[in-house]
Amino acid sequence: MKTQYYTATSLDGFLATEDDSLDWLFPLGDLDNSSYPEFISEVGALVMGSATYEWMVRNADQVARETGSPWPYSQPAWIFSSRKLPVIDGADTHFANGDVHQVHREMRIAAKDKNIWIVGGGDLAGQFYDAGLLDEVIVQIGSATLGKGKPLFPRRVLGSTLQLTSVRQMGVGMAELRYVVHKSD
């Protein structure tokens, strides 16, 4: 079982625009021609921050058109937020806030022998990293720059902590990098 941060970023390191738009990303690739189908088949639980979840709520109709459901995940999901958020019909969601350790324990139980996916955002992934719970970073880099926006991973990580394990070209607009997080003893 691994805890993985699987995401896409612009060439200049932003997940989304300042107003949480992902419109820049969609023309660059096709999920079916990426590692996503294999990746999601190995996920037993997922976690996301409130901005990511609110994007799902705002775009539920679009998501339903593309996936057949306003909530495309069969796995249980934990949503980190200090605010009360709307519930998406049919979604197995659990709302949480505070320290990621307790939620990680709950997700490990729910995931059984499968992986945990940190969907986004970057600060939430950083909290799992800070807690020593992040095992792998899988980032798809798109051929677009945003200038500013929501950062990929707002943490300082130096030295050999992130060890590159693979590089894969995905069409003409995306590349995927995989890093294992080396944890010092």
Side-chain angles (χ1 to χ4, degrees):
M1 170 186 287
K2 295 184 276 190
T3 300
Q4 301 168 298
Y5 180 34
Y6 180 96
T7 193
T9 183
S10 64
L11 190 57
D12 55 348
F14 297 105
L15 302 172
T17 63
E18 290 177 297
D19 61 351
D20 296 314
S21 173
L22 298 175
D23 291 343
W24 67 271
L25 176 61
F26 301 120
L28 298 177
D30 174 12
L31 283 180
D32 292 331
N33 293 318
S34 73
S35 63
Y36 182 79
E38 180 183 348
F39 170 80
I40 195 68
S41 73
E42 298 173 5
V43 170
L46 51 101
V47 60
M48 64 182 69
S50 59
T52 303
Y53 180 76
E54 288 174 311
W55 184 92
M56 298 288 295
V57 170
R58 281 192 316 275
N59 293 279
D61 291 339
Q62 176 186 348
V63 171
R65 280 192 304 275
E66 293 177 13
T67 67
S69 171
W71 185 254
Y73 309 113
S74 59
Q75 303 89 339
W78 279 258
I79 315 303
F80 269 83
S81 180
S82 58
R83 299 174 280 118
K84 184 168 175 59
L85 298 173
V87 175
I88 297 175
D89 289 338
D92 181 1
T93 53
H94 310 266
F95 293 91
N97 61 28
D99 187 13
V100 298
H101 281 96
Q102 178 60 38
V103 173
H104 191 260
R105 282 190 285 276
E106 293 170 23
M107 291 187 324
R108 285 179 61 90
I109 292 167
K112 298 182 175 136
D113 62 339
K114 292 195 166 196
N115 297 326
I116 295 170
W117 176 20
I118 304 169
V119 181
D123 187 62
L124 182 61
Q127 290 175 48
F128 278 82
Y129 171 80
D130 294 345
L133 301 171
L134 183 61
D135 299 307
E136 188 175 24
V137 176
I138 305 165
V139 59
Q140 296 173 355
I141 302 170
S143 58
T145 59
L146 302 179
K148 54 186 170 178
K150 307 293 174 149
L152 168 67
F153 198 71
R155 295 292 188 276
R156 182 178 294 237
V157 180
L158 303 173
S160 60
T161 302
L162 297 176
Q163 297 176 348
L164 184 64
T165 59
S166 73
V167 177
R168 175 181 169 201
Q169 182 174 344
M170 298 174 8
V172 297
M174 300 286 285
E176 180 179 271
L177 306 179
R178 288 181 177 249
Y179 295 90
V180 67
V181 180
H182 177 38
K183 300 170 187 173
S184 58
D185 299 327

